[in-house]
Amino acid sequence: MGEKLMWRLAFLTLLACAPVSADAQAASPTTALAAEPSSSEIMVTGVRSRPSQWREAETSHVRVLSDGTEAELIRIARNLETLHLLLSGLMGRGSADDDTVKLRITLIGGVADFEAMDLHNTRWQQGPFARPFMIARYYDPRDEGAVMASSRFDQTAVLQQGLNLGALTGILPGVQPGAGGAQVAGVVPLLGLADSAFGVPQPNELSVAVPATSILYSLFAQHWLMTYFPGAYPRWYLDGFGQLFSTITVRDGRIVEYGRAPENSDRVIRFYGGYPLERLFDGRYLDTSERTEWTPFHAWLITHYLFFSDDRRPQVRRYLAALGNGASQA
């Protein structure tokens, strides 16, 4: 059996056998929670599995399986439970207990390990975003309990490839091969770089960091919305709703900030430019036959405006209700 298939079977086995037991730039909206989930409310169990050391954390609403450290696992589980409480308060659901099957989340160490599992989304989709932001993640809202998986490592979206100094070795004076990549000296200031005795990343590369937690929190928020307020949501709205909560921070144990713009969102939007709203509302943004400039940052921008505008919020509710009753997106 191939290694890829073995990884995938191991993942599915872990899921099946889990033990039962906004202001964009200035001040973000904040909410004081009645009680933040404490460490005593999070049960961590060890799962013996070679060659990795897996741990599982369980809260009132999630089970998180990870091959990372226990401290990281507890922090993520606590933040997810806090996000559940925040969404319940904001959306008027309250803190009532429910019998919803707990969401099971698996966090795999490296991006290569995650991609090697060859998981395919059949009942959930994202975007479609510009290629640098089509970052792999897995979600299945199955009846017997939703499952989610992603890498627990931060990733990088490269908007524009930089100059490959290695290709200039022996051609451009001052560029010499080195252990960590091309070494530069002498004429490098012509390229906009300073002299260096170390390997230098590609100059003029334009990239932004995509934190692993932002991917996780965004998808969790989408899961929460579809679980407790199911509806015929357009994909752009689900993506944007998730992005609103992708940057949550918890201060002093009780104060939660949400809605803050993702880091470097201004750089991304300047690079791709604005996106025509008519393509969203008539569904043409779903056309994958042509290059798209739609990104998670654009989804955050439009949804942030609609979510926090007293004038637009009622309009959005009517729009979503109309879609739920069978109206065309156009």
Side-chain angles (χ1 to χ4, degrees):
M1 183 182 297
E3 180 180 359
K4 179 182 293 186
L5 182 57
M6 291 179 66
W7 265 99
R8 191 169 187 272
L9 288 176
F11 166 71
L12 294 176
T13 301
L14 286 170
L15 290 182
C17 301
V20 179
S21 28
D23 192 338
Q25 304 298 338
S28 299
T30 62
T31 296
L33 300 179
E36 187 215 8
S38 64
S39 298
S40 62
E41 297 173 321
I42 300 176
M43 182 177 67
V44 178
T45 57
V47 179
R48 293 184 177 181
S49 175
R50 295 183 181 276
S52 299
Q53 295 183 348
W54 291 87
R55 296 180 177 87
E56 182 182 72
E58 181 174 357
T59 72
S60 298
H61 299 93
V62 296
R63 292 174 179 165
V64 186
L65 189 68
S66 172
D67 60 353
T69 66
E70 182 173 333
E72 177 189 57
L73 177 60
I74 290 176
R75 176 179 58 83
I76 288 175
R78 178 188 293 119
N79 285 350
L80 288 171
E81 189 66 24
T82 299
L83 180 52
H84 175 93
L85 295 174
L86 171 66
L87 288 166
S88 297
L90 290 175
M91 303 296 287
R93 188 180 174 278
S95 58
D97 293 334
D98 60 76
D99 57 359
T100 303
V101 178
K102 295 181 181 181
L103 171 66
R104 288 181 287 181
I105 302 172
T106 302
L107 301 177
I108 296 92
V111 176
D113 291 337
F114 178 80
E115 293 179 346
M117 295 169 64
D118 198 26
L119 299 172
H120 298 280
N121 290 294
T122 59
R123 290 187 283 186
W124 173 84
Q125 290 179 295
Q126 59 177 324
F129 297 128
R131 184 175 297 276
F133 295 99
M134 290 300 289
I135 297 174
R137 68 202 77 177
Y138 177 78
Y139 177 68
D140 186 357
R142 56 193 190 183
D143 294 337
E144 60 271 29
V147 295
M148 183 189 305
S150 68
S151 170
R152 61 181 179 83
F153 286 178
D154 297 345
Q155 301 186 48
T156 301
V158 179
L159 312 184
Q160 174 181 286
Q161 295 288 345
L163 177 64
N164 185 356
L165 291 178
L168 302 178
T169 301
I171 300 176
L172 186 66
V175 180
Q176 302 297 330
Q183 306 284 333
V184 293
V187 299
V188 174
L190 295 176
L191 301 177
L193 296 175
D195 291 351
S196 174
F198 302 96
V200 176
Q202 294 182 347
N204 301 324
E205 178 181 281
L206 182 59
S207 60
V208 295
V210 182
T213 52
S214 72
I215 296 174
L216 180 62
Y217 299 155
S218 172
L219 191 48
F220 178 86
Q222 293 185 43
H223 161 78
W224 189 95
L225 182 64
M226 292 185 290
T227 298
Y228 294 103
F229 293 91
Y233 299 105
R235 203 183 301 170
W236 66 263
Y237 182 81
L238 279 176
D239 288 331
F241 185 86
Q243 288 300 311
L244 283 180
F245 301 95
S246 66
T247 57
I248 65 163
T249 59
V250 182
R251 295 186 291 106
D252 302 327
R254 300 183 61 246
I255 308 302
V256 183
E257 291 186 357
Y258 65 96
R260 186 177 294 277
E263 187 175 359
N264 293 315
S265 57
D266 55 341
R267 178 185 298 182
V268 173
I269 292 175
R270 281 200 306 268
F271 179 81
Y272 286 105
Y275 195 85
L277 291 181
E278 61 268 18
R279 293 184 65 85
L280 290 182
F281 291 106
D282 64 17
R284 282 183 294 158
Y285 74 101
L286 296 172
D287 183 4
T288 58
S289 63
E290 59 182 52
R291 177 179 179 272
T292 181
E293 296 180 339
W294 176 248
T295 74
F297 299 84
H298 290 82
W300 171 86
L301 185 64
I302 180 62
T303 311
H304 184 281
Y305 169 65
L306 298 174
F307 194 85
F308 291 108
S309 169
D310 292 336
D311 295 330
R312 299 301 183 187
R313 191 162 52 248
Q315 295 176 341
V316 173
R317 289 173 179 167
R318 291 194 295 270
Y319 168 75
L320 295 176
L323 291 180
N325 291 327
S328 169
Q329 288 197 47

